[in-house]
Amino acid sequence: MQIRELDLKELVSVFDVLSQLRTELDYDEFEDLIYEMRSMEYKMVGVMDGEVLITYAGVAVQTNLYHKRHLYVFDLVTDEKYRGRGYGKMMLDYLHDFAKMGMCENIVLSSGIYREKAHEFYEKNGFAKKSFVFLKSV
């Protein structure tokens, strides 16, 4: 097992795993968004077994007035074939170290209100529910 930053040549593998979480995205939109997010230093990180992507995280170091300097986890998903084997925790441990090296004060993420198993997983791994995210379409 290896955890490493992924590059743009691996977008098909990333999409295969990420689409299990972001079911509304098609590949073309995904690719466009990835290229657009590069300006915010969005990093693609993977738990790899050889060339097979097991767990994916999309993250960026950000700064704002309420979380200060923090690592924002936009996406975190383990391929459904490998869930329940500790790969998500392995990724969170890696991201914790990544955030410390980036001089972040916090790791922040948002999770859909209906994803109760994910919430249990995050709480079990030291995350606290701190707010609600509100969305209004324009």
Side-chain angles (χ1 to χ4, degrees), residues 6-18:
L6 306 172
D7 63 38
L8 295 173
K9 292 179 244 170
E10 298 173 287
L11 285 183
V12 171
S13 295
V14 169
F15 182 74
D16 287 345
V17 174
L18 182 64

Side-chain angles (χ1 to χ4, degrees), residues 39-128:
S39 67
M40 69 159 61
E41 300 294 322
Y42 180 86
K43 305 282 187 215
M44 301 183 298
V45 181
V47 174
M48 305 294 294
D49 185 4
E51 295 300 311
V52 177
L53 178 60
I54 306 291
T55 298
Y56 173 76
V59 302
V61 173
Q62 299 185 331
T63 303
N64 60 34
L65 297 173
Y66 44 98
H67 297 304
K68 315 284 190 295
R69 185 174 173 90
H70 62 280
L71 182 67
Y72 194 85
V73 181
F74 291 93
D75 312 291
L76 177 59
V77 59
T78 296
D79 187 316
E80 59 194 1
K81 296 184 294 271
Y82 301 97
R83 290 181 188 160
R85 300 184 194 178
Y87 297 115
K89 177 168 180 14
M90 185 185 302
M91 179 62 83
L92 286 180
D93 291 344
Y94 175 88
L95 294 177
H96 183 265
D97 292 342
F98 185 90
K100 285 174 79 171
M101 288 177 36
M103 299 185 311
C104 297
E105 292 187 33
N106 300 291
I107 300 173
V108 180
L109 57 82
S110 174
S111 179
I113 202 162
Y114 58 89
R115 299 188 65 231
E116 293 176 5
K117 286 187 179 184
H119 302 168
E120 291 173 15
F121 169 75
Y122 294 130
E123 289 173 337
K124 180 179 170 184
N125 284 281
F127 287 77

